[in-house]
Amino acid sequence: MSVSPHEPRQVADAQHPARGQPNPAVCPTDDEAAVPHNKTDNKRSLDYVWRTGVAGGLAGCMAKTVVAPLDRVKILFQAHNPHFLKYTGSWFGVAEAMKDIYRQDGPLGLFRGHSATLLRIFPYAAIKFLAYEQIRAVVISKKEHETPFRRLISGSMAGVTSVFFTYPLELIRVRLAFETKKDSRSSLRSICRRIYSEKSHQKLLATDLASGTASAAAAAVNTAAPRSGLVNFYRGFSPTLLGMLPYAGMSFLTHDTAGDVLRHPKLSKWTTLPQPENAPPGKAAPLRYWAELIAGGIAGLVSQTASYPLEVIRRRMQVGGAVGDGHRMRIGETAALIMRERGTRGFFVGLTIGYVKVVPMAAAAFFTYERLKMALDV
């Protein structure tokens, strides 16, 4: 009986299965056998749209959950809570504040108010990622059309779309969060009715001053609106929109570019997973978990840096309107004032602290989104 020259190797593998199989993946989603086949190729189909929307919404929720403790501490610091004033002004203060909250309220104390955040962030993130996929498919219809500029435009337009549809929710949240009436609390319905019927920012500001609620929130929602109606739900929209253009655009551009670098032939054997057999032609191979986290983290770093000056201007405009003489400074006037006071550095005050929050948030968002796309076959 003839013996195949490969038989000894097969016998050895049968006796030592580990020799004939790849090492188990560190991250479960990096298991090569677990990579699903991509079934949804038509990006215009309803099936693709809802799957992408769900993946994007859950990705946004995961990202916010990762940084929820930081958000809780930030709010306490910004509100000058007397119990936490001793922790402000140092890096160790943030950690000490978290320990204090944990001792008093347990782990759930670090996530207080998080459910309301999730209700707001799910539609925002879902629309942003869904819009990016749809706009990108139109702007970059072919592989040869894929350029950094087209990626930037696709990301910026996706950010604008998501902000446009969810900005009223943010404005209502600001009103509810900053209300300081002691005797009664306005309902969601009454807040919406009040915003809808407001005639002008002068009248609203006078009302807020009389009721003791003039604050940064008053400036945030009191952009001039000469008539009542739905337009009132978009007060302060312009500065937010200008900040979103570079943030979303640079975020998606940097993530996709970093992904290209990590998929380079010299690196791909360490950074990528096998391409599914029936994946659409030209679709990039999925990144391993650590590579995807790096790409997302870099995207957060770059996008935060690019959009931060506009964020500083927006915050200055919000506060300036509440403590000034009623004159609402325009974006150019506010930028000139910051430049006179502190020079170029004035546009990047607090940027390092922003990195601590945005970098892990972006990494978690992109990682979760890409993994959910794999799980949902899109």
Side-chain angles (χ1 to χ4, degrees):
M1 182 176 74
S2 62
V3 179
S4 169
H6 301 293
E7 185 172 330
R9 174 71 176 271
Q10 295 172 349
V11 172
D13 287 346
Q15 294 173 349
H16 304 282
R19 295 181 185 176
Q21 299 177 359
N23 294 328
V26 176
C27 177
T29 57
D30 275 4
D31 186 357
E32 297 178 1
V35 177
H37 297 312
N38 194 301
K39 299 178 181 178
T40 310
D41 299 342
N42 183 11
K43 292 190 175 184
R44 301 301 176 84
S45 67
L46 180 61
D47 185 55
Y48 184 93
V49 168
W50 81 259
R51 289 170 187 263
T52 305
V54 169
L58 292 177
C61 291
M62 176 59 71
K64 277 294 186 180
T65 301
V66 168
V67 299
L70 285 175
D71 272 340
R72 176 83 200 282
V73 173
K74 181 188 72 173
I75 292 172
L76 292 172
F77 284 1
Q78 288 178 337
H80 297 284
N81 188 295
H83 298 292
F84 291 89
L85 287 178
K86 58 185 177 181
Y87 299 125
T88 60
S90 69
W91 285 99
F92 296 103
V94 176
E96 291 299 323
M98 288 185 181
K99 290 180 181 178
D100 196 353
I101 295 172
Y102 184 86
R103 284 194 297 266
Q104 291 181 7
D105 304 321
L108 293 180
L110 295 169
F111 295 89
R112 181 172 295 173
H114 186 53
S115 57
T117 300
L118 295 182
L119 290 176
R120 179 179 61 89
I121 202 64
F122 183 89
Y124 166 79
I127 294 173
K128 184 177 71 171
F129 281 103
L130 171 59
Y132 179 68
E133 297 287 357
Q134 296 298 316
I135 294 171
R136 193 180 192 278
V138 175
V139 177
I140 308 175
S141 57
K142 298 181 180 179
K143 186 67 176 178
E144 54 269 24
H145 294 165
E146 191 160 4
T147 63
F149 178 75
R150 289 174 182 265
R151 284 177 170 177
L152 179 67
I153 291 298
S154 299
S156 297
M157 292 176 66
V160 169
T161 302
S162 62
V163 169
F164 177 79
F165 283 106
T166 60
Y167 187 81
L169 295 175
E170 173 66 12
L171 187 141
I172 294 170
R173 185 186 71 87
V174 169
R175 285 291 187 91
L176 291 172
F178 281 87
E179 188 165 298
T180 58
K181 294 178 181 179
K182 301 294 184 181
D183 54 342
S184 63
R185 291 285 180 178
S186 299
S187 65
L188 177 61
R189 183 176 180 180
S190 63
I191 287 285
C192 292
R193 187 186 300 115
R194 188 185 310 164
I195 295 173
Y196 183 87
S197 60
E198 286 162 354
K199 297 295 182 182
S200 67
H201 75 289
Q202 290 88 357
K203 179 180 178 181
L204 176 58
L205 186 57
T207 302
D208 285 338
L209 287 168
S211 60
T213 61
S215 62
V221 299
N222 279 332
T223 301
R227 61 185 182 277
S228 61
L230 294 177
V231 69
N232 287 351
F233 289 90
Y234 287 89
R235 288 176 172 173
F237 182 66
S238 297
T240 302
L241 188 62
L242 289 177
M244 179 54 64
L245 285 170
Y247 181 83
M250 291 302 298
S251 179
F252 283 108
L253 167 62
T254 306
H255 174 264
D256 290 353
T257 303
D260 290 344
V261 173
L262 291 169
R263 291 183 178 93
H264 190 276
K266 292 183 179 180
L267 301 174
S268 59
K269 63 179 180 180
W270 295 291
T271 60
T272 62
L273 297 169
Q275 185 70 279
E277 295 179 0
N278 60 344
K283 183 177 177 63
L287 293 173
R288 294 187 180 275
Y289 79 95
W290 61 267
E292 187 61 63
L293 288 172
I294 288 176
I298 295 175
L301 184 77
V302 174
S303 60
Q304 177 74 354
T305 304
S307 63
Y308 198 77
L310 284 170
E311 176 67 14
V312 172
I313 292 173
R314 182 172 69 89
R315 289 177 180 174
R316 187 63 175 267
M317 290 175 68
Q318 290 176 345
V319 176
V323 299
D325 58 359
H327 169 67
R328 182 159 300 280
M329 296 180 66
R330 299 180 182 274
I331 294 176
E333 294 174 324
T334 306
L337 178 61
I338 295 173
M339 191 68 182
R340 286 196 303 269
E341 291 179 347
R342 306 194 62 172
T344 306
R345 290 186 177 182
F347 293 99
F348 296 94
V349 174
L351 178 58
T352 305
I353 300 176
Y355 288 151
V356 175
K357 174 184 174 182
V358 173
V359 171
M361 186 171 68
F366 279 110
F367 171 79
T368 306
Y369 178 63
E370 294 297 333
R371 285 308 194 257
L372 285 176
K373 284 175 64 180
M374 291 168 57
L376 295 172
D377 293 347
V378 294

